[in-house]
Short mmCIF file of all heavy atoms in Angstrom, two decimals:
data_model
loop_
_atom_site.label_atom_id
_atom_site.label_comp_id
_atom_site.label_asym_id
_atom_site.label_seq_id
_atom_site.Cartn_x
_atom_site.Cartn_y
_atom_site.Cartn_z
N ALA A 17 16.55 3.17 14.62
CA ALA A 17 17.95 2.88 14.83
C ALA A 17 18.74 4.13 15.28
O ALA A 17 19.74 4.01 15.92
CB ALA A 17 18.54 2.33 13.53
N THR A 18 18.29 5.31 14.91
CA THR A 18 18.99 6.51 15.34
C THR A 18 18.65 6.97 16.71
O THR A 18 19.34 7.78 17.26
CB THR A 18 18.75 7.67 14.32
OG1 THR A 18 17.35 7.94 14.22
CG2 THR A 18 19.26 7.35 12.95
N THR A 19 17.61 6.41 17.31
CA THR A 19 17.19 6.79 18.65
C THR A 19 17.38 5.72 19.64
O THR A 19 17.30 5.98 20.86
CB THR A 19 15.73 7.30 18.65
OG1 THR A 19 14.91 6.24 18.21
CG2 THR A 19 15.56 8.53 17.80
N ASP A 20 17.61 4.49 19.26
CA ASP A 20 17.72 3.34 20.18
C ASP A 20 19.17 2.82 20.10
O ASP A 20 19.63 2.34 19.09
CB ASP A 20 16.73 2.25 19.71
CG ASP A 20 16.70 1.07 20.67
OD1 ASP A 20 17.71 0.74 21.31
OD2 ASP A 20 15.63 0.40 20.75
N ALA A 21 19.86 2.90 21.27
CA ALA A 21 21.25 2.50 21.31
C ALA A 21 21.46 1.06 20.92
O ALA A 21 22.52 0.67 20.37
CB ALA A 21 21.78 2.70 22.76
N GLY A 22 20.51 0.21 21.08
CA GLY A 22 20.60 -1.19 20.71
C GLY A 22 20.74 -1.39 19.20
O GLY A 22 21.19 -2.44 18.72
N TRP A 23 20.32 -0.42 18.43
CA TRP A 23 20.37 -0.48 16.96
C TRP A 23 21.49 0.33 16.38
O TRP A 23 21.69 0.37 15.18
CB TRP A 23 19.07 0.07 16.37
CG TRP A 23 17.90 -0.93 16.48
CD1 TRP A 23 17.05 -1.08 17.47
CD2 TRP A 23 17.52 -1.85 15.49
NE1 TRP A 23 16.16 -1.99 17.19
CE2 TRP A 23 16.42 -2.54 15.96
CE3 TRP A 23 18.01 -2.20 14.21
CZ2 TRP A 23 15.74 -3.56 15.29
CZ3 TRP A 23 17.38 -3.21 13.51
CH2 TRP A 23 16.23 -3.82 14.01
N ALA A 24 22.32 0.98 17.23
CA ALA A 24 23.33 1.91 16.73
C ALA A 24 24.32 1.30 15.78
O ALA A 24 24.72 1.92 14.76
CB ALA A 24 24.10 2.53 17.92
N ASP A 25 24.70 0.02 15.96
CA ASP A 25 25.64 -0.63 15.08
C ASP A 25 25.02 -0.87 13.65
O ASP A 25 25.72 -0.93 12.66
CB ASP A 25 26.08 -1.97 15.64
CG ASP A 25 27.04 -1.81 16.82
OD1 ASP A 25 27.53 -0.69 17.00
OD2 ASP A 25 27.21 -2.75 17.57
N ASP A 26 23.70 -0.99 13.61
CA ASP A 26 23.02 -1.28 12.33
C ASP A 26 22.67 0.04 11.58
O ASP A 26 22.37 -0.06 10.38
CB ASP A 26 21.75 -2.05 12.59
CG ASP A 26 22.05 -3.43 13.16
OD1 ASP A 26 22.86 -4.14 12.57
OD2 ASP A 26 21.51 -3.78 14.23
N ALA A 27 22.63 1.19 12.26
CA ALA A 27 22.19 2.41 11.63
C ALA A 27 22.93 2.73 10.35
O ALA A 27 22.30 3.09 9.36
CB ALA A 27 22.21 3.54 12.61
N PRO A 28 24.28 2.67 10.31
CA PRO A 28 24.97 3.03 9.03
C PRO A 28 24.60 2.10 7.85
O PRO A 28 24.40 2.61 6.75
CB PRO A 28 26.47 2.83 9.40
CG PRO A 28 26.48 3.05 10.84
CD PRO A 28 25.27 2.48 11.42
N ARG A 29 24.39 0.85 8.12
CA ARG A 29 23.97 -0.05 7.03
C ARG A 29 22.52 0.26 6.62
O ARG A 29 22.26 0.21 5.37
CB ARG A 29 24.08 -1.52 7.47
CG ARG A 29 25.49 -2.04 7.54
CD ARG A 29 25.53 -3.55 7.84
NE ARG A 29 25.08 -3.80 9.20
CZ ARG A 29 25.84 -3.83 10.31
NH1 ARG A 29 27.11 -3.56 10.13
NH2 ARG A 29 25.38 -4.15 11.46
N LEU A 30 21.68 0.59 7.54
CA LEU A 30 20.31 0.94 7.15
C LEU A 30 20.29 2.25 6.36
O LEU A 30 19.53 2.34 5.40
CB LEU A 30 19.49 1.06 8.42
CG LEU A 30 19.24 -0.21 9.19
CD1 LEU A 30 18.60 0.10 10.52
CD2 LEU A 30 18.34 -1.16 8.36
N ALA A 31 21.10 3.23 6.77
CA ALA A 31 21.15 4.50 6.04
C ALA A 31 21.63 4.27 4.60
O ALA A 31 21.08 4.82 3.66
CB ALA A 31 22.05 5.49 6.74
N ARG A 32 22.63 3.44 4.47
CA ARG A 32 23.21 3.16 3.13
C ARG A 32 22.14 2.45 2.27
O ARG A 32 21.93 2.83 1.11
CB ARG A 32 24.46 2.30 3.24
CG ARG A 32 25.16 2.07 1.92
CD ARG A 32 26.51 1.37 2.01
NE ARG A 32 26.72 0.43 3.13
CZ ARG A 32 27.33 0.67 4.28
NH1 ARG A 32 27.85 1.85 4.53
NH2 ARG A 32 27.44 -0.27 5.15
N ALA A 33 21.43 1.50 2.87
CA ALA A 33 20.38 0.76 2.15
C ALA A 33 19.28 1.74 1.72
O ALA A 33 18.72 1.64 0.61
CB ALA A 33 19.83 -0.36 2.99
N LEU A 34 18.93 2.68 2.60
CA LEU A 34 17.85 3.62 2.27
C LEU A 34 18.27 4.50 1.14
O LEU A 34 17.50 4.76 0.17
CB LEU A 34 17.52 4.43 3.52
CG LEU A 34 16.33 5.41 3.37
CD1 LEU A 34 15.07 4.75 2.97
CD2 LEU A 34 16.13 6.20 4.67
N VAL A 35 19.48 5.02 1.16
CA VAL A 35 19.97 5.86 0.05
C VAL A 35 20.01 5.06 -1.26
O VAL A 35 19.61 5.60 -2.27
CB VAL A 35 21.33 6.47 0.42
CG1 VAL A 35 21.97 7.15 -0.80
CG2 VAL A 35 21.25 7.47 1.57
N GLN A 36 20.46 3.83 -1.17
CA GLN A 36 20.57 3.00 -2.39
C GLN A 36 19.18 2.58 -2.94
O GLN A 36 19.08 2.22 -4.07
CB GLN A 36 21.39 1.77 -2.12
CG GLN A 36 22.86 2.07 -1.90
CD GLN A 36 23.67 0.87 -1.50
OE1 GLN A 36 23.12 -0.14 -1.04
NE2 GLN A 36 25.00 1.00 -1.61
N ALA A 37 18.14 2.71 -2.09
CA ALA A 37 16.78 2.33 -2.54
C ALA A 37 16.16 3.44 -3.44
O ALA A 37 15.15 3.16 -4.07
CB ALA A 37 15.91 2.10 -1.35
N GLN A 38 16.80 4.58 -3.49
CA GLN A 38 16.22 5.63 -4.35
C GLN A 38 16.22 5.19 -5.84
O GLN A 38 17.15 4.49 -6.25
CB GLN A 38 17.07 6.89 -4.25
CG GLN A 38 16.86 7.70 -2.98
CD GLN A 38 17.67 8.94 -3.01
OE1 GLN A 38 18.69 9.06 -3.66
NE2 GLN A 38 17.12 9.98 -2.34
N GLN A 39 15.19 5.59 -6.53
CA GLN A 39 15.09 5.37 -7.94
C GLN A 39 14.93 6.75 -8.62
O GLN A 39 13.94 7.44 -8.29
CB GLN A 39 13.91 4.50 -8.32
CG GLN A 39 13.99 3.08 -7.70
CD GLN A 39 15.10 2.27 -8.37
OE1 GLN A 39 15.31 2.35 -9.59
NE2 GLN A 39 15.82 1.50 -7.57
N ARG A 40 15.90 7.17 -9.41
CA ARG A 40 15.78 8.48 -10.10
C ARG A 40 15.62 9.60 -9.07
O ARG A 40 14.86 10.54 -9.31
CB ARG A 40 14.73 8.47 -11.14
CG ARG A 40 15.00 7.57 -12.34
CD ARG A 40 13.99 7.63 -13.40
NE ARG A 40 12.62 7.34 -12.96
CZ ARG A 40 12.15 6.10 -12.87
NH1 ARG A 40 12.82 5.07 -13.26
NH2 ARG A 40 10.89 5.92 -12.49
N GLY A 41 16.30 9.52 -7.94
CA GLY A 41 16.32 10.60 -6.97
C GLY A 41 15.16 10.66 -5.98
O GLY A 41 15.05 11.67 -5.27
N HIS A 42 14.37 9.62 -5.93
CA HIS A 42 13.26 9.57 -4.95
C HIS A 42 12.95 8.15 -4.55
O HIS A 42 13.42 7.22 -5.20
CB HIS A 42 11.98 10.31 -5.50
CG HIS A 42 11.50 9.67 -6.77
ND1 HIS A 42 10.61 8.64 -6.76
CD2 HIS A 42 11.67 10.04 -8.04
CE1 HIS A 42 10.30 8.31 -8.03
NE2 HIS A 42 10.95 9.11 -8.82
N TRP A 43 12.17 8.03 -3.47
CA TRP A 43 11.77 6.71 -3.03
C TRP A 43 10.44 6.35 -3.64
O TRP A 43 9.90 7.17 -4.40
CB TRP A 43 11.76 6.67 -1.51
CG TRP A 43 13.16 6.71 -0.96
CD1 TRP A 43 13.97 5.64 -0.78
CD2 TRP A 43 13.92 7.86 -0.56
NE1 TRP A 43 15.23 6.02 -0.29
CE2 TRP A 43 15.19 7.39 -0.14
CE3 TRP A 43 13.67 9.20 -0.47
CZ2 TRP A 43 16.19 8.28 0.31
CZ3 TRP A 43 14.64 10.04 -0.06
CH2 TRP A 43 15.91 9.56 0.33
N ASP A 44 9.87 5.20 -3.31
CA ASP A 44 8.73 4.70 -4.06
C ASP A 44 7.39 5.38 -3.83
O ASP A 44 6.50 5.26 -4.64
CB ASP A 44 8.62 3.21 -3.94
CG ASP A 44 8.44 2.70 -2.49
OD1 ASP A 44 8.44 3.57 -1.59
OD2 ASP A 44 8.24 1.49 -2.33
N THR A 45 7.23 6.09 -2.73
CA THR A 45 5.96 6.76 -2.45
C THR A 45 6.23 8.14 -1.81
O THR A 45 7.34 8.36 -1.29
CB THR A 45 5.05 5.96 -1.47
OG1 THR A 45 5.72 5.84 -0.23
CG2 THR A 45 4.74 4.58 -2.00
N THR A 46 5.26 9.00 -1.81
CA THR A 46 5.42 10.32 -1.15
C THR A 46 5.62 10.13 0.35
O THR A 46 6.52 10.79 0.91
CB THR A 46 4.18 11.21 -1.44
OG1 THR A 46 4.08 11.39 -2.86
CG2 THR A 46 4.25 12.53 -0.76
N PRO A 47 4.91 9.30 1.06
CA PRO A 47 5.20 9.10 2.50
C PRO A 47 6.62 8.53 2.69
O PRO A 47 7.33 8.94 3.63
CB PRO A 47 4.13 8.08 2.94
CG PRO A 47 3.00 8.26 2.00
CD PRO A 47 3.67 8.58 0.70
N ALA A 48 7.08 7.68 1.78
CA ALA A 48 8.44 7.18 1.92
C ALA A 48 9.47 8.29 1.74
O ALA A 48 10.48 8.32 2.45
CB ALA A 48 8.71 6.05 0.94
N ASN A 49 9.19 9.22 0.87
CA ASN A 49 10.06 10.37 0.67
C ASN A 49 10.15 11.19 1.93
O ASN A 49 11.25 11.63 2.39
CB ASN A 49 9.59 11.30 -0.48
CG ASN A 49 9.88 10.74 -1.83
OD1 ASN A 49 10.91 10.07 -2.04
ND2 ASN A 49 9.00 10.99 -2.76
N ALA A 50 9.04 11.44 2.58
CA ALA A 50 8.99 12.25 3.80
C ALA A 50 9.73 11.51 4.96
O ALA A 50 10.49 12.11 5.67
CB ALA A 50 7.55 12.53 4.20
N LEU A 51 9.39 10.23 5.12
CA LEU A 51 10.06 9.45 6.17
C LEU A 51 11.54 9.34 5.97
O LEU A 51 12.29 9.41 6.90
CB LEU A 51 9.40 8.05 6.26
CG LEU A 51 8.00 7.99 6.84
CD1 LEU A 51 7.32 6.64 6.57
CD2 LEU A 51 8.02 8.27 8.33
N ALA A 52 11.94 9.10 4.75
CA ALA A 52 13.38 9.01 4.42
C ALA A 52 14.09 10.29 4.73
O ALA A 52 15.17 10.27 5.30
CB ALA A 52 13.59 8.61 2.97
N ARG A 53 13.52 11.46 4.41
CA ARG A 53 14.11 12.76 4.72
C ARG A 53 14.32 12.90 6.21
O ARG A 53 15.36 13.31 6.70
CB ARG A 53 13.21 13.85 4.14
CG ARG A 53 13.63 15.25 4.52
CD ARG A 53 14.92 15.59 3.82
NE ARG A 53 15.30 17.00 4.12
CZ ARG A 53 16.09 17.39 5.12
NH1 ARG A 53 16.62 16.50 5.90
NH2 ARG A 53 16.33 18.67 5.29
#
Side-chain angles (χ1 to χ4, degrees):
T18 58
T19 58
D20 185 329
W23 283 88
D25 290 343
D26 296 306
R29 285 187 292 273
L30 293 170
R32 186 171 35 258
L34 184 58
V35 169
Q36 290 174 341
Q38 286 184 329
Q39 298 291 320
R40 294 183 302 273
H42 59 84
W43 289 275
D44 60 356
T45 64
T46 299
N49 284 327
L51 287 166
R53 173 70 177 93

